[in-house]
Amino acid sequence: MPFHVKKLLICAGAALVLSAPAAQAQTRKKSKAATPAAATKADRTDSLALRKIFDEALLRGESYDNLRYLTGTIGPRLSGSPQAQMAVEWGKATMEKAGFDRVYLQEVMVPHWVRGSRERGEIIGNKDKGIRVPVCALGGSIGTGGKLKAGVVEVHSFEELKALPDAAVKGKFVFYNRPFDDALIEPGQAYGRAGDQRRSGAIEAARRGAVGALVRSLTSARDDNPHTGAMAYAEGVAKVPGAALSTNAADQLSQLLKANPDLQFELEMECITLPEEKSYNVVGEIKGSKFPQEIITVGGHLDSWDLGQGAHDDGTGCVQSIEALRLLRVAGFRPERTVRAVLFMNEENGTRGGNEYARLAAQNKETHLAAIESDGGGFTPRGFSVEADPATVSKLARWAPLLKPYHAADISVGHGGTDIEPLQAAVHPKALIGYDCDSQRYFDIHHTAADTFDKVNRRELELGGASMAALIYLLSKYGL
Amino acid sequence: MPFHVKKLLICAGAALVLSAPAAQAQTRKKSKAATPAAATKADRTDSLALRKIFDEALLRGESYDNLRYLTGTIGPRLSGSPQAQMAVEWGKATMEKAGFDRVYLQEVMVPHWVRGSRERGEIIGNKDKGIRVPVCALGGSIGTGGKLKAGVVEVHSFEELKALPDAAVKGKFVFYNRPFDDALIEPGQAYGRAGDQRRSGAIEAARRGAVGALVRSLTSARDDNPHTGAMAYAEGVAKVPGAALSTNAADQLSQLLKANPDLQFELEMECITLPEEKSYNVVGEIKGSKFPQEIITVGGHLDSWDLGQGAHDDGTGCVQSIEALRLLRVAGFRPERTVRAVLFMNEENGTRGGNEYARLAAQNKETHLAAIESDGGGFTPRGFSVEADPATVSKLARWAPLLKPYHAADISVGHGGTDIEPLQAAVHPKALIGYDCDSQRYFDIHHTAADTFDKVNRRELELGGASMAALIYLLSKYGL
């Protein structure tokens, strides 16, 4: 960066507040709904409101300090763990301190899977001494019951597995080694396309008589961090252990298999599923001043995987959701519609919290306008991805000029979020909205021991909470 | 991130190649310059070309490995240092290996400032034992000639300094403690507004009879990393030492001063300016197939500060500039206009390389169409900031739909770059263009020991080189 100061940039600062309404006024001129003069006044009010929200966030934001406590003092928060319960209590206390109108818990039973202390993977070739490689159990896997040693067959898809003769699979580990498609611009797409290996790999392996599934970690990164994540078992299919290999380990195993197809892999995992535990969603509410019966939900998930600290996944979404409501409050904007921050429990391995929130919404005959979820990390804002009918997406896109100065103006058609998805069938909100941020680094650390507080940048995190608050301000004022 | 795969995102992937021309075709329909049918065909060709460039970068890009060598094996590359010379040789060899038509050096004399081994700062209050705080010499500072101990007067602007009586300043350190304005969305603006303290702090302090300048590090981060950077002396004004304090140290000093305005600061620095050294810009060229006399320059600066490894500042800009040309070549696009990758020497403390490149361009009566600089870090692309007349900016903005699938479509009016700026007066290119990327994290590490290779994400870096290659492809094909 230059010694020379960025001359032109310096002058551009003061224009920020004015540029948004000016741009939006232009857009509005084409609309028949409002006269240009009226639009300009409203737009200016909105533009100044957003600037106030962002000022609060950047100068006095609390997301970062909240996240430090949640990830550092409490730590990882797998469903059913004591830390998950500590997080519930922390969430409730934090919302109460923020002065919301009402804070309450929604009880929900959750799975309780425990990794255990011993996790070991070893490639055993012709030599006596094996090669230790980084592995971790996939979430929900059974343990190996001591050492499990078997041959390895490498595949890249279920089709490839299906085409193999029984003898090539039976009694072996199936090693799923299809990498991320690095050409995709959105790493989330690569994750989606590779995810079947982790999710259903053990089922498909067991159907063919294999003893276990070894899955290449779901990431573009080449390193020694194995990535955990949920895997499933199917009714009527034998349960076999499922483990993730780091990408370096997967590359190494693949290479060694080429030289020696008869090599063996030894896996040892002590993971176990305990009886379900009682847990909770944490809900905080600010009552709407004009339309209290219309609800806008904003949430993240309070549970996390047990490796790392659950920082980007999804501590950031939790603190941003609380912060979005707090920002509205401290900036002096009482929302016209009721706004709820929800810390969902058990997104990672069951979605019990999301399902229960939706079930209660239906049972209480609630009206839900929209739901927003932040579960793609706490990185620099880009905008929002929207599941809604085209007219609703267009309505949201109308606000893009107001969000543009904050680089949060990218309104695209896309996924809302796992926790808010059950609301769709239950109460038909007009839009499910995913907070969309820069995601290039997300899968480097996703579900690993490296998902820690130090990977989160304060400004990026606070800008995200402010972007969500800005959208809620507009949704609450104008509806959909 | 959800167990549940991002359903909608998965389907969206295949649409990427087609979405850009479709979007641009829509834009073009409004234009009278081209019939919709013709525009669609050209747009489709361009869209596929850009996709090919990004595929090459993401699947087989070389920026990351080049950067690993430049930052790790060579290391920091302050002008005049042996490492700067190694970097020149590396740059030349790397361009030759990439198969450019012509690779050559441009000789330039550069300042040779050396930090020395001893750097120490200590706050000394009433107690015998002082408090050691992290400091570093600002680039170009004189040394202290042993221990320099004096009182401290804190100010936040030159105006505040000016208003102080002589007795309050004379014989003391002036401590400039104006922080970044965190409310600004662009950290580069905050840098610009706080930069006078570092740049001219020692001059203004000396004018008032102070013995030295202590400057709060130019960053929003609160940590223990002092940030170096260039400072100046003025003719006829005494030279006094200038040092940066980490932000934590600055906060601490400020707090202690409130309790004890008579405390002293002890500074020890061994830095020294040696005679100028011979050095070089490194230039690589691909000759234009149709308009070889029209030149498009793309560059970064090869020198760096001596702390850290000069990774984001500006190793990334160097490897991206080489990569931009290499990508065009391996993707099979021979540019219509001549394209030059330039590794500029001495951006940080003199801009000698930038000045010499412009001087030679004028001397050789070259025609320069545009120049692009990457010197804002190797983070996720956002687009380009342009110094040009409004018509030229509009022409560039026409290509936004083609860049949109890569999130590099933000074409804004802004700074081009320090190294390409001298071209303006010398040969009047139609546009100076700065590569614009997400900058929220940049000033956390800028000019510090923490600007290291591990802070750079492979995909973000490669996306940047590809974005620059894409713009060059379009500039080379269509002109301006």
Side-chain angles (χ1 to χ4, degrees), chain B residues 407-461:
Chain B
H407 301 295
D410 202 348
I411 311 288
S412 59
V413 175
H415 185 57
T418 301
D419 287 308
I420 57 176
E421 192 163 287
L423 280 177
Q424 191 60 63
V427 292
H428 317 294
K430 289 202 177 159
L432 299 181
I433 302 171
Y435 167 64
D436 183 23
C437 61
D438 175 43
S439 57
Q440 296 302 329
R441 281 169 289 145
Y442 188 50
F443 291 96
D444 290 2
I445 54 162
H446 181 249
H447 293 183
T448 74
D451 183 9
T452 48
F453 179 71
D454 58 297
K455 306 301 188 309
V456 181
N457 176 275
R458 182 177 64 79
R459 287 180 56 88
E460 295 185 0
L461 178 69

Side-chain angles (χ1 to χ4, degrees), chain A residues 151-220:
Chain A
V152 178
V153 57
E154 177 177 347
V155 299
H156 302 86
S157 68
F158 293 148
E159 291 67 37
E160 192 180 337
L161 174 62
K162 211 167 276 176
L164 288 174
D166 282 349
V169 183
K170 208 173 158 82
K172 290 186 177 175
F173 285 105
V174 176
F175 166 37
Y176 296 96
N177 195 27
R178 187 167 84 256
F180 261 32
D181 181 353
D182 280 342
L184 293 167
I185 304 303
E186 312 300 340
Q189 284 178 27
Y191 179 65
R193 293 190 190 184
D196 58 341
Q197 304 174 98
R198 188 192 80 201
R199 209 166 48 249
S200 310
I203 298 171
E204 299 306 322
R207 280 194 213 281
R208 300 298 311 281
V211 299
L214 305 173
V215 184
R216 180 188 183 88
S217 283
L218 299 181
T219 180
S220 279

Side-chain angles (χ1 to χ4, degrees), chain A residues 1-3 51 182-184 186 189 313 347 375 380 407 418 438 440-442 444 446 457 459-460, chain B residues 1-2 13 51 182-184 186 199 313 347 375 380 407 418 438 440-442 444 446 457 459-460:
Chain A
M1 187 70 168
F3 161 52
R51 184 65 253 189
D182 280 342
L184 293 167
E186 312 300 340
Q189 284 178 27
D313 189 11
E347 189 270 353
D375 186 19
T380 287
H407 302 294
T418 301
D438 175 41
Q440 296 302 330
R441 281 168 289 146
Y442 188 50
D444 290 1
H446 181 248
N457 175 274
R459 286 180 57 88
E460 295 186 0
Chain B
M1 187 69 169
R51 185 64 254 188
D182 280 343
L184 293 167
E186 313 299 340
R199 210 169 44 253
D313 189 13
E347 189 270 354
D375 186 21
T380 286
H407 301 295
T418 301
D438 175 43
Q440 296 302 329
R441 281 169 289 145
Y442 188 50
D444 290 2
H446 181 249
N457 176 275
R459 287 180 56 88
E460 295 185 0

Side-chain angles (χ1 to χ4, degrees), chain B residues 102-299:
Chain B
R102 193 179 156 220
V103 180
Y104 55 98
L105 303 181
Q106 294 178 331
E107 189 179 312
V108 60
M109 295 302 292
V110 296
H112 189 196
W113 178 81
V114 177
R115 183 172 299 279
S117 56
R118 195 166 177 79
E119 263 180 344
R120 231 181 104 267
E122 196 168 329
I123 302 170
I124 300 170
N126 299 323
K127 308 269 168 56
D128 281 348
K129 196 162 161 45
I131 301 165
R132 278 285 295 275
V133 291
V135 295
C136 71
L138 293 176
S141 176
I142 60 168
T144 53
K147 292 176 181 174
L148 177 61
K149 190 167 152 185
V152 178
V153 58
E154 177 177 345
V155 299
H156 302 85
S157 67
F158 293 148
E159 291 67 38
E160 192 180 336
L161 174 62
K162 210 167 277 178
L164 288 175
D166 281 348
V169 183
K170 209 174 159 81
K172 290 188 177 175
F173 284 104
V174 177
F175 166 37
Y176 297 95
N177 195 27
R178 186 167 85 255
F180 261 32
D181 181 352
D182 280 343
L184 293 167
I185 304 302
E186 313 299 340
Q189 284 179 25
Y191 179 65
R193 293 190 190 183
D196 58 341
Q197 304 175 98
R198 188 193 79 201
R199 210 169 44 253
S200 311
I203 298 172
E204 299 305 322
R207 280 194 212 280
R208 300 299 310 281
V211 299
L214 304 173
V215 183
R216 181 188 183 88
S217 283
L218 299 182
T219 179
S220 278
R222 299 288 193 279
D223 61 28
D224 299 320
N225 273 328
H227 293 228
T228 190
M231 58 168 271
Y233 289 121
E235 285 271 333
V237 181
K239 292 184 178 184
V240 299
L245 272 65
S246 73
T247 48
N248 280 347
D251 287 341
Q252 188 178 18
L253 178 56
S254 180
Q255 195 180 353
L256 291 171
L257 271 172
K258 281 184 186 68
N260 176 14
D262 297 327
L263 65 72
Q264 294 203 300
F265 196 89
E266 188 175 272
L267 184 66
E268 199 177 358
M269 307 194 306
E270 293 180 338
C271 40
I272 185 170
T273 298
L274 301 171
E276 295 200 345
E277 288 280 342
K278 193 190 288 184
S279 190
Y280 305 91
N281 293 330
V282 186
V283 185
E285 204 172 281
I286 299 179
K287 210 169 176 96
S289 60
K290 282 195 192 165
F291 311 105
Q293 78 288 0
E294 286 187 39
I295 296 163
I296 299 163
T297 294
V298 57

Side-chain angles (χ1 to χ4, degrees), chain A residues 3 80 101 141-142 152 222 235 304 438 460 475:
Chain A
F3 161 52
D101 296 334
S141 177
I142 59 166
V152 178
R222 299 288 192 278
E235 285 270 333
S304 77
D438 175 41
E460 295 186 0
L475 280 169

Side-chain angles (χ1 to χ4, degrees), chain B residues 11-27:
Chain B
C11 316
L16 279 183
V17 167
L18 296 177
S19 65
Q24 199 181 44
Q26 271 202 319
T27 312

